[in-house]
Amino acid sequence: MNREKIIVIDFGGQYNQLVARRVRECGVYCEIYSYKTDIGQIRDMAPKGIILTGGPNSCYEEGAASCGRELFELGIPVLGLCYGAQLMMLTLGGHVCKAPVREYGKIEVTVDKSSKLFGDVSEKTICWMSHNDYIEKKAPGFRITGRTPDCPVAAAEWEEKDLYAIQFHPEVLHTQEGAKMLRNFVYQVCHCEGTWKMDAFAAASIQAIREKVGKGKALCALSGGVDSSVAAVLMSKAIGNQLTCVFVDHGLLRKNEGDEVEEVFGPKGPYELNFIRVNAQERFYEKLRGVEEPEQKRKIIGEEFIRVFEEEAKKIGAVDFLVQGTIYPDVVESGLGGESAVIKSHHNVGGLPDYVDFKEIMEPLRDLFKDEVRKVGLELGIPEKLVYRQPFPGPGLGIRIVGEVTPEKVVMVQEADAIYREEIARAGLDRTIGQYFAALTNMRSVGVMGDERTYDYAVALRAVNTVDFMTAETAEIPFEVLAKVMNRVINEVKGVNRVLYDLTSKPPGTIEFE
């Protein structure tokens, strides 16, 4: 699929995915690559522009992540952000050192409006700074286009070479006009046309799938979540009855979800899918017996999924492709799309056993962020109720139960989660919160119910607001709603005597508990 694109070179910055997401919001496709990527490969990709991310190191230290001078001599526009800006200056002859005054947080920056980056930006604009080092001396050929009282080179550029460096982070929402700056780079400097649209993606993907699959057969891992549902419908529109969708009910789904999935995608549903439901609850519970470590649970669930699919594939006959609902954050968080550390394994991206009995894995949504998946879903005619369903991880409640998974614990978290979702919807908050769910902690404590002493579990309620699911802030749910959820959970869910509300943002926490 040919498309114009910007590439993000990742130096280990925490906002690398956010940079890519912001570029895509401008209507231009963007991918993330490690700073170790060969310069020849970058040249061959012929990107319209290159963005260098932030990073945790000092660029002048031995062994720090770096790049060669050749990157700036490709004739491709380059924008350096924070560490990327310092590295650009250092590589091209400037001087970077420890700053006399560290800048962190919202800082007013004075910018030169004659710059292509800042033409429609306020002369004094609030930006998000996060640096211990600073550019003490700009590189030859550059002119300073932004400054603060403590940072003499907050922005610099060499317009003739299309090289731009900014010390702050335009990708985060705290930089009030950051979206304008990135858009200016994409359109005014890189001269992109903005061809990245979800309607075009859906049409092009359907055609590409038809060409790739040919007369082959595909087996789709359908969970009923947003990602796998959109992948299934996309595949179905491309190859029709050459696709078989297998829905594995592993006993770790939300309350009544198995029946709801069958109702939508099964024989009586609106889609022409070959649908098979496998009730494998006991099989998964047995595999998980006594297992407490989160990564081990993920791998067990992932591998068991594959085993189930292998068995179903043998019943179906020859299957050429295994279809999975992998999306771009899965790829990057699994360490396959940049330089950031592996946060967690995903059973649908890498880490699969070597003896998987399929010719090839197909991931039609692999390039998309979550909100882009939803847009594709709407383009395909999937009902909004399904498209805007709450995100649900592949390992299911296995990672929303801290510690060992048992059938009894599954019932507890199912019931608590159902109550939580019901009350959030009743309060009219279900479409305003990015993600919300109940998790079961492994903490037990003393309580009093009636005249009896209890020693039961605590349920944690999670709710976050997020644009791209890569960073998230805790949602401010009215206290009366939380109090109602607490009262119902304690009265209606056997084995629970405390309800907690998780205030942790991402970072430092993850959205899921494990």
Side-chain angles (χ1 to χ4, degrees):
M1 207 181 298
N2 293 324
R3 53 172 80 112
E4 64 174 8
K5 69 179 176 182
I6 302 286
I7 66 169
V8 171
I9 304 296
D10 179 15
F11 291 93
Q14 61 177 319
Y15 302 127
N16 61 350
Q17 293 186 48
L18 200 51
V19 177
R21 187 64 202 89
R22 294 288 180 256
V23 173
R24 292 193 190 189
E25 287 173 357
C26 296
V28 176
Y29 183 66
C30 187
E31 289 182 335
I32 302 167
Y33 291 89
S34 166
Y35 73 90
K36 298 173 185 174
T37 304
D38 182 73
I39 190 70
Q41 183 182 345
I42 294 174
R43 184 187 298 107
D44 292 344
M45 284 189 279
K48 299 282 284 187
I50 298 169
I51 299 178
L52 312 182
T53 73
N57 307 117
S58 293
C59 64
Y60 49 80
E61 290 180 346
E62 186 176 350
S66 65
C67 62
R69 189 182 183 96
E70 310 96 288
L71 183 71
F72 305 105
E73 297 173 344
L74 293 172
I76 299 170
V78 181
L79 172 63
L81 310 179
C82 197
Y83 181 92
Q86 295 170 3
L87 183 61
M88 181 188 292
M89 291 295 105
L90 182 68
T91 303
L92 297 178
H95 184 66
V96 177
C97 61
K98 190 171 183 63
V101 178
R102 180 195 178 200
E103 288 184 311
Y104 184 82
K106 295 179 180 179
I107 306 290
E108 186 178 77
V109 179
T110 302
V111 299
D112 185 339
K113 291 175 63 64
S114 69
S115 167
K116 289 181 181 178
L117 286 188
F118 306 129
D120 56 352
V121 173
S122 305
E123 185 177 358
K124 293 185 182 299
T125 184
I126 299 298
C127 301
W128 183 259
M129 292 282 195
S130 179
H131 63 99
N132 288 317
D133 297 326
Y134 79 144
I135 301 163
E136 185 182 53
K137 179 184 176 184
K138 66 179 180 62
F142 284 80
R143 72 182 183 99
I144 296 173
T145 55
R147 66 184 75 236
T148 75
D150 296 313
C151 186
V153 188
E157 65 182 51
W158 191 348
E159 184 177 356
E160 294 76 16
K161 299 281 189 180
D162 285 331
L163 301 177
Y164 294 81
I166 52 181
Q167 180 59 71
F168 48 87
H169 290 275
E171 69 273 21
V172 301
L173 294 177
H174 302 304
T175 297
Q176 293 177 353
E177 297 178 274
K180 290 181 183 177
M181 299 171 195
L182 288 173
R183 187 175 184 84
N184 288 339
F185 177 71
V186 167
Y187 286 101
Q188 302 301 320
V189 178
C190 300
H191 305 295
C192 291
E193 296 178 11
T195 56
W196 179 243
K197 308 292 182 188
M198 290 305 99
D199 55 348
F201 175 88
S205 294
I206 289 170
Q207 183 59 36
I209 290 167
R210 283 179 185 150
E211 292 174 0
K212 183 166 187 173
V213 174
K215 296 181 180 180
K217 292 184 178 181
L219 177 63
C220 180
L222 178 61
S223 71
V226 177
D227 303 335
S228 69
S229 295
V230 173
V233 174
L234 191 65
M235 293 293 299
S236 177
K237 287 184 177 290
I239 61 173
N241 61 12
Q242 293 167 249
L243 172 70
T244 297
C245 289
V246 174
F247 166 55
V248 177
D249 188 343
H250 51 23
L252 302 170
L253 300 171
R254 290 168 286 204
K255 186 178 180 180
N256 300 328
E257 192 160 34
D259 294 338
E260 291 171 2
V261 171
E262 184 170 0
E263 184 180 331
V264 173
F265 291 99
K268 298 180 181 179
Y271 305 109
E272 296 181 6
L273 303 173
N274 295 318
F275 180 84
I276 297 172
R277 178 175 179 176
V278 183
N279 292 311
Q281 296 93 329
E282 295 305 319
R283 179 169 169 172
F284 279 84
Y285 292 156
E286 183 60 34
K287 289 282 185 180
L288 291 167
R289 189 188 305 275
V291 179
E292 298 186 359
E293 204 278 319
E295 275 297 285
Q296 191 178 356
K297 287 195 292 184
R298 283 177 176 272
K299 288 176 180 176
I300 288 172
I301 295 168
E303 289 188 15
E304 200 60 22
F305 253 100
I306 296 302
R307 300 287 75 77
V308 173
F309 285 133
E310 282 181 332
E311 292 166 14
E312 291 305 315
K314 289 173 184 175
K315 295 176 188 176
I316 295 163
V319 175
D320 302 287
F321 298 94
L322 172 64
V323 182
Q324 296 182 327
T326 308
I327 64 174
Y328 200 51
D330 295 340
V331 174
V332 178
E333 286 199 349
S334 296
L336 303 178
E339 193 55 33
S340 298
V342 176
I343 298 170
K344 63 185 88 164
S345 65
H346 293 260
H347 73 261
N348 56 348
V349 283
L352 298 174
D354 294 334
Y355 46 88
V356 175
D357 192 19
F358 304 97
K359 290 182 181 178
E360 189 174 344
I361 291 176
M362 200 171 209
E363 299 166 320
L365 307 178
R366 185 184 178 90
D367 291 340
L368 304 185
F369 286 96
K370 178 70 74 173
D371 58 324
E372 293 173 323
V373 172
R374 296 190 197 281
K375 290 176 183 176
V376 170
L378 294 176
E379 285 293 331
L380 294 171
I382 301 175
E384 283 195 19
K385 180 181 178 182
L386 283 178
V387 170
Y388 286 98
R389 192 173 196 166
Q390 278 288 295
F392 195 61
L397 299 179
I399 58 171
R400 291 182 181 175
I401 296 172
V402 180
E404 182 185 10
V405 175
T406 67
E408 295 76 19
K409 288 182 179 180
V410 170
V411 172
M412 286 185 219
V413 76
Q414 282 178 333
E415 295 293 337
D417 184 71
I419 290 169
Y420 189 29
R421 286 187 287 126
E422 185 178 313
E423 293 300 334
I424 288 291
R426 190 172 289 169
L429 301 172
D430 51 318
R431 290 289 290 274
T432 64
I433 301 173
Q435 185 171 358
Y436 54 94
F437 59 87
L440 185 68
T441 74
N442 61 354
M443 183 186 89
R444 299 182 72 184
S445 61
V446 173
V448 178
M449 299 182 74
D451 294 324
E452 296 183 3
R453 177 184 181 274
T454 62
Y455 186 63
D456 288 331
Y457 287 97
V459 160
L461 305 178
R462 182 80 161 130
V464 297
N465 287 320
T466 177
V467 174
D468 48 32
F469 291 85
M470 303 322 304
T471 59
E473 297 293 334
T474 305
E476 295 186 21
I477 297 176
F479 182 78
E480 58 269 23
V481 176
L482 292 174
K484 191 168 185 179
V485 174
M486 175 276 297
N487 188 59
R488 284 193 61 192
V489 168
I490 288 177
N491 281 283
E492 298 176 33
V493 182
K494 185 179 179 181
V496 176
N497 67 358
R498 287 185 190 270
V499 176
L500 315 172
Y501 188 59
D502 182 3
L503 292 172
T504 314
S505 61
K506 177 185 180 181
T510 55
I511 292 177
E512 294 291 343
F513 270 59
E514 293 194 338

